[in-house]
Amino acid sequence: MLTTHNLTRHYKTASGQELTVLDNISFDIAAGDTFAIVGPSGSGKTTLLGLCAGLDRPSSGSVTLNGVSLEQLSEDQRAAVRNQHVGFVFQNFQLIPTLTALENVMVPLELRGDSGAEKTARAWLEKVGLGHRLDHYPSQLSGGEQQRVCIARAFSNDPRILFADEPTGNLDADNAAGIVDLIFELNRSASTTLVLVTHDLELARRTQRILKLKGGKQETIINNYE
Amino acid sequence: MGFIFKMAWRDSRRNRGRLFLFISAIMVGIAALTAVRSFSINLTNDVDREAKTLLGADLLLSAQQALPDSILQRVSAQAAEQSKVVNFMSMIRFPKNGATRLTQIRAIEGNYPYYGKWKTEPEAAWRSFRNRKAALIDHTLMLQFGIQPGDSVQIGEMTFVVEGDLLSAAGRAGIASAIAPVAFIPAQWLDSTGLVQRGSRIDYQYYFQMPPQRSADELIKPLEKDLEKAAIRDDTVESRKRNVGRAFGNFGTFLNLVGFIALLLGCIGVAGAVHIYIKDKLPTVAILRCLGAKGRQAFYVYLVQVAGIGLLGAIGGAALGALIQKILPWVLRDLLPLEEVSTDFSFVAAGQGILLGLSVAVLFALLPLSGILRTSPLRTLRAAYGENENSGRGLRWAVYLLIAASVFLFTWWLIGGWLQTLYFIGGIGVAFGILFGIARLMTWGLRRFFPRRWSYTTRQGIANLFRPENQTMLLVISIGLGTMLLSTLFLIQSLLLKQLEFSGSGNQPNMVLFDIQKNDVDSVSALLKFHKMPIIQQAGVVTTRVETIDGRTKLQDEADTLKALPGWVWDREYRVTYRDTLLDTEKITQGAWSGVWTPGEPIKVSVSSDLAKAMKAEIGTKLTFNVQGTRMETEVASVREINFNRVQPAFMVLFPKGVLEQAPQFHFMVTRVESEPQSAAFQSSLVQRYPGISAIDLTQILKSVDEVLSKVSFVIRFMALFSILTGLLVLVSSIYQSKYARIRESVLLRTLGASRRQILGIYGMEYFLLGALSCLSGVGLSVFSAWALVKFVFQIPFEPQWLPLVLTFASITALTVLIGLLNTRDAVRKPPLEVLRSEV
C-alpha cells in the first residue's frame, strides 16, 4: 500500500546551511496494516508523514502510495490522490472554523463531486456519536467532539489509507482513550491501512509494526507480533 | 464548480459583516462616480432638450461695435424677428441708501428671449419693464443693498424705477452674478444715460428668431468669411449646445477624477483588507488542499467570495450614487447654465458603476488572493510551513501589470487624452510613491531607533507599527492621500485670497477709476482730494487695433497656416496708454525704454512680454495701429515684464509721450481708500456727479473672488468628502480586520496579567502614532503641492496659514485614535476565554 525508498528531506536554514531532517528512510506497509512512527520531538515524524501522504516532496528517494509514485506528480495531481485514497486525523483537528460539523465532513465528498455527500456525512457523524451536533460550529464543540468530526471526515471518503498525526495529543486521558478506540475500530471495519505518528509508545504498541526515528534516521522497525 | 460556490457561500456565512465592511470602502467611490456620471447624462439630455432656451434665440451675433448694415440687413431679411442688447460696464447707484456698484448694464430692444423665460419677482417684470422707464436688477444686487421693486436706481444720468428682481435667466450660470451682476434697461433710454461715448468698451449682441423650417446654421454659412473679417462672433443653438457640453465636460471630468481618486483609495483599502482576510483563511486553504482541493479550486472559492461581495458593494454604491445624484444639481446650482437639471435614474450610469465596482474589487483582491495558490497543504501539520515565497512571483507581477493597465485605461476613458492621463497617473503615482516611501522610512526608523528605555505600553504601541500584520503602509497611504487632497484645496484657496488682500495692503493702490472724460480730470482730482484720497497714477487711454505686423495683414497672416498668429492678436481692441516713465510694476527685459517721441523718428512702443510672445515680435518689429481711423506706424523698442499682482491697469502696449495726446481718449486714475465707509462715500458722490465714471474697488473684487472661490470650492470639497469618507472607511475596515490579529495578542497579554489600562495604552499609542504620522505625511505633502502650485501656476508668494493645518492634523489624529479604540474595546472588555472561544 505504501512504500518508501531511501526517503530524504533537506531544508535550507535561514543562514543558508542545509539541514537534513530525514535521512534514507525505507519501509513497506501492506494494505490493511497498522503502522506507527515514533520518536522524540524533532526526530522527523511529522515530516515523514507529510511525505508519505503527498503533502510535501522529498529531496531524494521515492514514495509509492497505492501503486502511484508520488514524487512524479504535481501538487494538484497529489491532491487528487489524497482526495481519492487518503484520510487524515490531525493533532489539532484542522476543522474549517466557518463550516458546521456536517459541512466539514462533506468537504472531501463534495470535492470529488459525490451527489450523496450530505447523506454519507450524516451517517458518519452518527457513527462517531455526533448525530445531534450536525449544525454546530467547531468553536461550539469540545476537543473530543472536534476530533470525532475529524475522524468522521477522514473516513467519509472511504480512504485506502489513514494518516493520523498525534491524534490524542490535544485530548485528556478519557477522551484520548475513546478516540483511539474509535480509530482502530473504524479502521478494522473499513479495512483501511493506518499510519499513526505518535510519541506515545503505549498507543504505538496497538499497531502491527513500529518505526523508530531518531535525529531523522531510521533506528529500527519493531514488529509487535514478534 | 458546485463545490466552489457552495464552499464560498458557507465559508462567507460567519464573515459577511467583515467582508461587507471592506467592500464599503469602494462603495463610496462607486457612488461618487455613478452620481457624477448619471448627473452628466441628465445634464446632456436637458441641454439637448432645452438648447433653445440656453441661447434664448436661434442665432446670436456679437461684436465690439454695431453690426455693419450690410451684414445686419442680410441676416434680418431672413429672420422672423430680432432683438438688440448693448452691454457695457458702468457704476449704478441706489439713491435709497447711496450704495454704488460696478455693474454690467444691458440695454435691450426687442422681445428677446424668444425661447424660455426669465425668472423675476414680480413674475411679469421681465416683460413689463421694457415699456417703461424701468430696470430689472440682478438678485445679488437687490439682496446686497436691500433694494425692493419700486425703489429707484441711477444709471448714468438717468434714474429708473426698479421694476423687478432678476432671479435667473436661462443660459446664465448663477456664479456669473457674483462676477458681474447685471441690470437690464430698455434700449430707448440708453442715449439719455450718457454712458455710451466714443472709446467706451461696448459689446453689441443681436438675437434673431428664425422662421419655422429655416436653420440658423444654414443662414450663417455663406456669411462666415464676412463675419470673421468684421470680427463678429456667431452663436447658434447647436454651437451653444457644444460649448455648454464642452464647459461642463471639463468640469465633469474633474469631478469624475476626484471620485476616481476616492475609488482608488478604496481599492487600496480592499487590497489591504483582503490581504488580512486571506491571511486568516490560509489555514482553511491548507485544510482544503490537504483534503484534496486543487490550488485553483481553493483560489476560486475566495475569488467567488470577493467577487460576490464586490458585486453587492457595487450595487450598493450605484444605489447610493443614484441618491447622491439627486442632490448634485443643488451642489452645482451656481455653476450650471440651466435652472433645473433632471435627476432621473440612469441605468447606463448605474450599470457602468456596478461593472466598475465588480472589476476593481476583483482586480485589487487578486494580489492577496494569489497567496492562496502558494499555500502548502503541509501547513495543516505545522503552521510554520508557510508558502513558498519564490513561487508565484511571475503571477504577482502579472497582477501588478494588469492593475496598472486597467487604472491607465480607465483614467483615459474618463479624461480622453493620453498625455493628460499620463500626467494624472504620474501625479497620483508620485503621491502614492512618496506616501509609500514615508511609511517604509517610518517603519525602518522606528525599528532602527527603537526607544528601548521607554515604558512598556509605549514600546508595545510603537512596536505594533512594524510588527507582522501592521497597518502602517495602508493607513499612511489612505489617510495621507485624503488629508493631502483636503488641505491642498484649503491652502490654495486661502493663499489666493491672501495674495489679493496683500496686493491692496500697505500703501498699495486699491481703487481704479475708469472712463474719466478729459474735461472731468481736474474736477475728479478735486473730488479725490476732498475725500483725502491720493492720486497715485493718472493717464489717458486710447482705443486702437493692430492692422499690420511687419507689413503683414491679418488675411496674409492667416494664409500662412504654419506661422499664423493667434486670432485675438488681430481681433482685439487694444487699450493703450502713453507716458515717459516706467512704473515700479514694470521691468524692461529686452531693448531700451524710450519715453518721449522725437518728431521725425519712428514711434517707439513698448510691448508686454506676453504680447511679444503671441505676436512673435522682436525689437525692431514694425506694428501699424489703427487709432480710431488714423493709421500709425510704430516700432517695438522694448519688451516689458509686468507684475499683475497690483490693483492698477496694466497695458500691453505703451506709447511714448508726444504721440497720442490729441487722440480721442478717456482717462483713468489709481488711488487708495483707507476704509469701506470712505470708499462708499466717495463712490456715492462720484456716481452722483459723474455717472459715466466707473470705480473698481479692491474690496469689491475681494468679495466677488471670495464668493466665486467659495462656490467653486464648495463643490470641490463636496467631492473631496468622498475621499475623506473612503479614507475613514478604509481606516475602520483595516483596524477592524487587524482586530483579529491583535485580539490574540491582547488576550495573551491579559492572560499574563496585563491590565485593561495597559492594553488600552498600547492600542492608544499605536493608533495615535499611525494617525499622527499619516496625517503629518498628508499635510506635509499638501504643503509641498500647494507650494508647487502657487510657485509654478499662480506665481504668488507662498505664505500658508498654519493654524487650520494644525487643526486638521489634530482632528484626524483624534478620529483615528477614537476609531481604533472603539474597534478594540471587545478585546479589552470581555474575559479572555470568551474572546478566544468566539474568535471565529
Side-chain angles (χ1 to χ4, degrees):
Chain A
M1 182 70 220
L2 177 70
T3 307
T4 68
H5 182 66
N6 290 341
L7 206 54
T8 301
R9 184 70 168 100
H10 309 297
Y11 286 109
K12 277 220 162 132
T13 61
S15 58
Q17 286 179 326
E18 203 158 79
L19 186 73
T20 305
V21 186
L22 277 182
D23 196 5
N24 276 316
I25 310 290
S26 302
F27 60 84
D28 273 310
I29 306 173
D33 275 5
T34 53
F35 189 84
I37 302 169
V38 297
S41 291
S43 58
K45 302 186 296 286
T46 304
T47 309
L48 180 59
L49 179 85
L51 290 171
C52 292
L55 297 177
D56 196 11
R57 280 174 197 268
S59 305
S60 65
S62 65
V63 181
T64 309
L65 182 70
N66 197 30
V68 181
S69 189
L70 294 184
E71 67 278 2
Q72 309 293 334
L73 304 182
S74 69
E75 172 47 42
D76 282 350
Q77 287 167 324
R78 279 185 278 137
V81 170
R82 287 195 296 270
N83 184 246
Q84 296 298 319
H85 308 300
V86 180
F88 286 99
V89 176
F90 301 96
Q91 178 180 2
N92 47 2
F93 326 130
Q94 297 292 11
L95 297 178
I96 295 173
T98 46
L99 302 189
T100 61
L102 180 67
E103 287 163 350
N104 261 293
V105 179
M106 284 162 67
V107 169
L109 298 164
E110 286 183 321
L111 269 170
R112 59 160 76 168
D114 189 335
S115 56
E118 191 176 334
K119 200 175 154 198
T120 313
R122 274 177 189 278
W124 275 103
L125 280 168
E126 297 277 355
K127 214 177 271 188
V128 299
L130 288 175
H132 60 297
R133 312 211 72 171
L134 300 178
D135 295 326
H136 284 70
Y137 286 97
S139 59
Q140 295 165 331
L141 299 173
S142 70
E145 288 170 327
Q146 288 190 49
Q147 194 58 300
R148 280 165 192 272
V149 177
C150 184
I151 292 168
R153 183 178 66 185
F155 282 99
S156 68
N157 64 338
D158 201 11
R160 304 288 313 272
I161 186 164
L162 181 77
F163 290 98
D165 180 24
E166 305 275 15
T168 55
N170 273 351
L171 300 174
D172 59 66
D174 282 352
N175 265 312
I179 289 295
V180 168
D181 288 345
L182 185 64
I183 290 175
F184 278 92
E185 187 192 316
L186 291 173
N187 188 56
R188 228 178 350 261
S189 61
S191 306
T192 314
T193 310
L194 173 68
V195 178
L196 185 69
V197 165
T198 182
H199 53 250
D200 178 354
L201 280 174
E202 277 301 306
L203 176 59
R205 280 195 196 106
R206 292 183 65 167
T207 62
Q208 291 161 327
R209 284 192 298 155
I210 302 173
L211 165 68
K212 275 193 167 178
L213 285 179
K214 194 171 183 187
K217 289 195 165 87
Q218 184 170 335
E219 212 176 47
T220 175
I221 293 184
I222 302 165
N223 194 332
N224 281 331
Y225 293 119
E226 284 173 357
Chain B
M1 279 312 269
F3 168 76
I4 290 166
F5 281 100
K6 269 188 217 162
M7 184 66 202
W9 172 255
R10 288 176 190 155
D11 183 64
S12 72
R13 264 182 325 218
R14 305 197 90 190
N15 299 302
R16 278 180 204 151
R18 191 175 169 194
L19 281 166
F20 195 73
L21 188 60
F22 77 64
I23 219 70
S24 62
I26 63 163
M27 239 168 92
V28 177
I30 293 295
L33 283 173
T34 309
V36 172
R37 193 113 200 110
S38 189
F39 176 76
S40 302
I41 291 172
N42 277 328
L43 183 70
T44 312
N45 290 342
D46 289 351
V47 165
D48 274 349
R49 203 167 38 235
E50 292 183 40
K52 285 193 168 182
T53 347
L54 283 176
L55 192 61
D58 293 306
L59 172 66
L60 159 68
L61 296 179
S62 46
Q64 286 177 351
Q65 62 277 318
L67 286 196
D69 285 345
S70 57
I71 291 177
L72 188 58
Q73 277 164 13
R74 278 163 73 186
V75 180
S76 315
Q78 299 181 59
E81 213 180 315
Q82 74 179 62
S83 298
K84 178 178 164 190
V85 179
V86 179
N87 294 290
F88 55 92
M89 297 298 289
S90 172
M91 298 297 284
I92 64 168
R93 181 174 169 275
F94 297 103
K96 180 182 174 184
N97 48 21
T100 58
R101 168 93 195 242
L102 189 64
T103 304
Q104 194 185 139
I105 311 293
R106 311 194 76 189
I108 185 166
E109 175 190 312
N111 291 319
Y112 171 78
Y114 302 112
Y115 307 107
K117 57 178 195 171
W118 299 339
K119 209 166 160 187
T120 52
E121 184 58 49
E123 209 183 326
W126 71 288
R127 284 274 178 231
S128 60
F129 85 98
R130 300 170 200 230
N131 308 319
R132 307 177 48 201
K133 204 168 118 186
L136 266 190
I137 305 290
D138 208 315
H139 183 61
T140 320
L141 291 178
M142 302 282 283
L143 215 61
Q144 186 182 354
F145 300 118
I147 304 302
Q148 304 292 331
D151 289 343
S152 50
V153 56
Q154 181 196 343
I155 300 176
E157 288 161 11
M158 293 279 295
T159 300
F160 296 86
V161 175
V162 176
E163 179 90 358
D165 183 346
L166 179 62
L167 298 168
S168 68
R172 190 176 141 84
I175 204 159
S177 298
I179 301 165
V182 294
F184 278 95
I185 55 168
Q188 71 244 41
W189 305 104
L190 181 60
D191 288 341
S192 320
T193 61
L195 293 173
V196 178
Q197 290 174 8
R198 209 167 177 189
S200 303
R201 196 171 189 128
I202 296 172
D203 205 36
Y204 294 84
Q205 297 176 325
Y206 296 80
Y207 292 91
F208 300 92
Q209 186 186 30
M210 303 301 295
Q213 319 301 328
R214 190 81 176 89
S215 135
D217 292 280
E218 276 172 32
L219 186 152
I220 53 158
K221 206 152 201 182
L223 290 172
E224 263 171 7
K225 280 213 164 140
D226 292 333
L227 293 177
E228 208 184 328
K229 208 165 143 189
I232 298 167
R233 296 181 303 277
D234 61 270
D235 227 349
T236 62
V237 174
E238 281 307 310
S239 66
R240 178 59 62 103
K241 232 159 71 177
R242 275 197 302 276
N243 290 342
V244 170
R246 209 168 22 232
F248 186 76
N250 289 336
F251 194 60
T253 303
F254 168 75
L255 295 182
N256 265 324
L257 285 180
V258 181
F260 186 46
I261 290 177
L263 184 63
L264 277 182
L265 266 180
C267 288
I268 294 170
V270 167
V274 174
H275 176 75
I276 295 169
Y277 179 71
I278 293 299
K279 214 165 190 173
D280 285 351
K281 288 291 176 188
L282 289 184
T284 301
V285 171
I287 297 171
L288 285 175
R289 299 207 64 184
C290 196
L291 296 177
K294 291 178 181 160
R296 274 199 317 277
Q297 282 178 305
F299 174 80
Y300 287 141
V301 166
Y302 292 99
L303 184 70
V304 164
Q305 264 188 14
V306 170
I309 211 77
L311 183 66
L312 273 182
I315 293 172
L320 191 63
L323 288 178
I324 294 170
Q325 186 251 135
K326 300 260 176 218
I327 59 163
L328 270 187
W330 174 80
V331 173
L332 298 167
R333 65 198 181 282
D334 289 319
L335 309 177
L336 295 176
L338 291 179
E339 208 178 303
E340 271 171 22
V341 178
S342 40
T343 53
D344 301 336
F345 179 74
S346 161
F347 285 99
V348 176
Q352 284 171 342
I354 290 170
L355 196 67
L356 182 66
L358 179 61
S359 321
V360 294
V362 170
L363 195 64
F364 278 79
L366 273 182
L367 212 56
L369 280 175
S370 65
I372 291 175
L373 291 171
R374 300 196 298 273
T375 304
S376 163
L378 212 52
R379 208 187 161 106
T380 46
L381 297 179
R382 270 194 200 142
Y385 290 118
E387 53 201 50
N388 183 352
E389 289 298 332
N390 292 323
S391 71
R393 194 170 281 177
L395 176 75
R396 220 176 314 167
W397 278 107
V399 175
Y400 281 135
L401 214 66
L402 192 64
I403 290 176
S406 311
V407 169
F408 188 86
L409 283 176
F410 184 71
T411 312
W412 175 78
W413 181 64
L414 283 181
I415 302 180
W418 292 110
L419 202 63
Q420 292 94 319
T421 305
L422 268 180
Y423 282 145
F424 177 78
I425 299 276
I428 292 280
V430 167
F432 270 73
I434 291 176
L435 288 168
F436 177 84
I438 289 173
R440 269 284 162 94
L441 194 72
M442 205 169 84
T443 43
W444 175 84
L446 286 172
R447 202 192 295 252
R448 176 81 179 74
F449 305 105
F450 189 69
R452 289 175 203 290
R453 283 159 190 262
W454 290 11
S455 76
Y456 175 73
T457 44
T458 315
R459 273 185 290 133
Q460 286 294 315
I462 294 174
N464 279 351
L465 295 177
F466 56 76
R467 279 183 181 159
E469 306 205 20
N470 68 70
Q471 301 292 292
T472 312
M473 180 74 69
L474 183 67
L475 289 187
V476 166
I477 292 181
S478 58
I479 302 180
L481 211 61
T483 314
M484 185 191 115
L485 273 180
L486 257 198
S487 34
T488 306
L489 278 173
F490 166 78
L491 274 173
I492 293 294
Q493 191 186 347
S494 66
L495 281 169
L496 285 176
L497 281 176
K498 199 173 169 190
Q499 174 59 22
L500 273 174
E501 278 164 17
F502 172 77
S503 61
S505 63
N507 286 321
Q508 303 291 346
N510 59 7
M511 185 184 274
V512 183
L513 308 181
F514 272 113
D515 295 336
I516 308 171
Q517 297 302 313
K518 213 169 176 179
N519 300 337
D520 295 333
V521 169
D522 292 339
S523 42
V524 172
S525 303
L527 186 67
L528 278 168
K529 230 175 245 172
F530 175 77
H531 284 271
K532 299 194 172 58
M533 290 159 67
I535 301 170
I536 298 172
Q537 196 193 342
Q538 183 233 310
V541 176
V542 179
T543 313
T544 67
R545 280 180 183 281
V546 168
E547 272 197 358
T548 67
I549 300 173
D550 269 342
R552 278 153 67 98
T553 61
K554 182 187 178 188
L555 281 179
Q556 286 168 330
D557 181 63
E558 280 170 350
D560 188 350
T561 48
L562 281 178
K563 289 186 190 164
L565 303 175
W568 64 264
V569 167
W570 299 103
D571 298 338
R572 70 170 288 143
E573 205 170 53
Y574 290 83
R575 304 182 119 202
V576 305
T577 189
Y578 51 92
R579 49 181 143 85
D580 55 3
T581 47
L582 285 176
L583 302 176
D584 59 355
T585 50
E586 297 170 314
K587 201 172 92 191
I588 299 290
T589 53
Q590 281 179 59
W593 163 246
S594 164
V596 183
W597 176 61
T598 320
E601 288 204 354
I603 300 169
K604 293 182 173 170
V605 298
S606 176
V607 295
S608 71
S609 48
D610 291 339
L611 182 64
K613 203 169 151 194
M615 277 183 167
K616 294 178 187 153
E618 292 164 358
I619 304 301
T621 298
K622 304 258 186 294
L623 303 177
T624 310
F625 286 96
N626 180 334
V627 185
Q628 293 165 42
T630 312
R631 284 167 62 90
M632 203 165 271
E633 305 287 342
T634 68
E635 185 183 304
V636 175
S638 63
V639 176
R640 282 165 308 139
E641 194 80 60
I642 305 171
N643 174 8
F644 289 97
N645 297 331
R646 291 285 180 82
V647 184
Q648 57 187 16
F651 294 92
M652 283 184 167
V653 183
L654 185 56
F655 273 67
K657 264 197 157 177
V659 184
L660 296 175
E661 277 78 350
Q662 301 313 313
Q665 59 191 269
F666 69 83
H667 284 245
F668 73 88
M669 285 181 187
V670 177
T671 180
R672 174 171 179 80
V673 280
E674 296 300 337
S675 64
E676 226 170 300
Q678 185 190 20
S679 169
F682 168 73
Q683 288 191 52
S684 187
S685 53
L686 179 81
V687 177
Q688 223 166 356
R689 278 187 227 176
Y690 309 100
I693 298 177
S694 299
I696 298 177
D697 182 356
L698 179 69
T699 330
Q700 195 54 54
I701 297 176
L702 264 176
K703 273 186 194 153
S704 301
V705 171
D706 193 18
E707 205 175 326
V708 171
L709 282 183
S710 304
K711 282 177 177 170
V712 174
S713 68
F714 170 68
V715 176
I716 297 176
R717 277 192 190 147
F718 179 81
M719 292 307 292
L721 206 67
F722 288 98
S723 292
I724 293 297
L725 202 60
T726 304
L728 281 179
L729 280 169
V730 171
L731 175 74
V732 174
S733 154
S734 53
I735 288 174
Y736 184 79
Q737 306 291 340
S738 70
K739 177 167 123 175
Y740 291 89
R742 297 280 178 248
I743 270 180
R744 285 180 212 121
E745 197 178 283
S746 85
V747 164
L748 190 62
L749 285 174
R750 285 186 63 195
T751 314
L752 294 174
S755 66
R756 286 175 191 190
R757 209 183 147 149
Q758 280 173 312
I759 305 265
L760 276 177
I762 292 171
Y763 287 135
M765 175 54 71
E766 179 185 351
Y767 292 120
F768 168 74
L769 284 173
L770 263 181
L773 292 170
S774 314
C775 218
L776 202 64
S777 316
V779 169
L781 268 185
S782 76
V783 170
F784 175 74
S785 55
W787 168 82
L789 275 173
V790 297
K791 182 163 170 64
F792 299 112
V793 180
F794 299 110
Q795 299 181 350
I796 56 173
F798 181 66
E799 286 156 7
Q801 285 176 277
W802 296 106
L803 186 67
L805 295 183
V806 172
L807 287 179
T808 309
F809 169 80
S811 50
I812 296 186
T813 306
L815 203 64
T816 312
V817 175
L818 187 73
I819 293 174
L821 292 182
L822 279 177
N823 242 323
T824 46
R825 67 188 189 286
D826 268 5
V828 184
R829 250 188 359 208
K830 292 184 181 170
L833 194 63
E834 192 184 328
V835 174
L836 279 174
R837 301 275 301 174
S838 62
E839 194 186 318
V840 175

